[in-house]
Amino acid sequence: AQSVTQPDIHITVSEGASLELRCNYSYGATPYLFWYVQSPGQGLQLLLKYFSGDTLVQGIKGFEAEFKRSQSSFNLRKPSVHWSDAAEYFCAVVTNAGNNRKLIWGLGTSLAVNP
Amino acid sequence: GAGVSQSPRYKVAKRGQDVALRCDPISGHVSLFWYQQALGQGPEFLTYFQNEAQLDKSGLPSDRFFAERPEGSVSTLKIQRTQQEDSAVYLCASSLGGLAGVRGPVTQYFGPGTRLTVL
């Protein structure tokens, strides 16, 4: 069965520092991969998505993610973190279940940003 | 433009009560999804509609959970005889199509959720 693992439950970085959030997936074929951000009291917002082509994907708010098939990873990065980036980040993969596809989610990584 | 809206934003119910949670998707969005997000967890799929047709309800945890979308727009998730384990945030999302099309994955747009607390 498809699954998504986010190894880091909680990460704290200083404002201005670089950030990398890890995501590993278990899936037989080329997956459809997503990163979402969830701020307190806000809905989930799509940061970026990957399904084919260039393995480095650019998203909103200065985020990018790199798909590495050999490592089954889709890590999220940002070169310089802002205080407003403090939120919960979720990696997700679309299952390939015929017409009834589902989004399978990781447990999330909570990001705190120190001033 | 208007995004996905959900009401109420917060709901407190006594165990055994029935609750109804509403989702207003983005106008014109064919697909609508319901998720359950427990504290400290990622969202868990509950059910999926394409227009008024409920194509997948495999994630509904019990027959106490029921969802409908009678006119292909607004959807209601109903939970009968609520239990404490039903306490969670219930998320609704809509999209133009299903989760994947010929051009790849289709973006889902999420509402703010309804936080249900069962006492």
Side-chain angles (χ1 to χ4, degrees):
Chain A
Q2 295 90 347
S3 66
V4 176
T5 302
Q6 294 181 246
D8 305 304
I9 295 173
H10 186 84
I11 285 181
T12 300
V13 299
S14 297
E15 191 168 17
S18 63
L19 171 70
E20 182 169 31
L21 302 182
R22 295 184 290 165
C23 172
N24 294 95
Y25 65 90
S26 170
Y27 190 67
T30 300
Y32 293 167
L33 293 159
F34 303 78
W35 274 101
Y36 278 85
V37 61
Q38 188 175 39
S39 300
Q42 303 292 316
L44 286 155
Q45 183 181 21
L46 179 69
L47 288 175
L48 45 77
K49 60 186 178 183
Y50 169 82
F51 70 102
S52 70
D54 193 347
T55 56
L56 185 63
V57 181
Q58 300 298 319
I60 62 170
K61 304 185 179 185
F63 285 92
E64 65 178 25
E66 186 171 12
F67 171 62
K68 293 186 177 180
R69 183 187 302 275
S70 61
Q71 299 178 17
S72 297
S73 69
F74 188 57
N75 293 349
L76 183 72
R77 301 193 295 245
K78 185 170 185 177
S80 178
V81 171
H82 188 263
W83 63 267
S84 60
D85 293 325
E88 190 85 15
Y89 291 81
F90 291 95
C91 181
V93 63
V94 172
T95 66
N96 186 19
N99 291 326
N100 293 339
R101 301 170 188 261
K102 299 181 179 62
L103 264 179
I104 303 297
W105 300 78
L107 295 182
T109 298
S110 177
L111 174 66
V113 179
N114 287 333
Chain B
V4 178
S5 61
Q6 294 185 245
S7 61
R9 291 291 308 276
Y10 302 91
K11 177 69 178 178
V12 178
K14 292 182 179 178
R15 191 174 57 180
Q17 283 184 332
D18 298 348
V19 298
L21 312 180
R22 177 187 170 107
C23 172
D24 285 82
I26 293 173
S27 178
H29 277 195
V30 169
S31 297
L32 186 145
F33 303 81
W34 282 99
Y35 295 89
Q36 180 190 60
Q37 186 177 20
L39 188 64
Q41 305 290 315
E44 295 278 349
F45 170 83
L46 292 177
T47 188
Y48 161 54
F49 289 86
Q50 188 172 89
N51 296 307
E52 68 279 4
Q54 190 174 20
L55 297 186
D56 189 345
K57 55 182 180 179
S58 62
L60 296 176
S62 77
D63 58 7
R64 296 186 295 104
F65 287 71
F66 172 78
E68 60 183 3
R69 195 186 185 197
E71 297 179 357
S73 56
V74 172
S75 177
T76 303
L77 176 67
K78 297 179 179 178
I79 308 174
Q80 296 177 325
R81 305 180 304 282
T82 52
Q83 304 294 315
Q84 285 186 325
E85 61 262 29
D86 299 335
S87 296
V89 175
Y90 290 85
L91 299 169
C92 176
S94 70
S95 66
L96 282 170
L99 281 175
V102 294
R103 296 182 180 179
V106 178
T107 299
Q108 290 187 34
Y109 297 86
F110 283 80
T114 294
R115 182 176 296 279
L116 173 65
T117 302
V118 182
L119 303 177

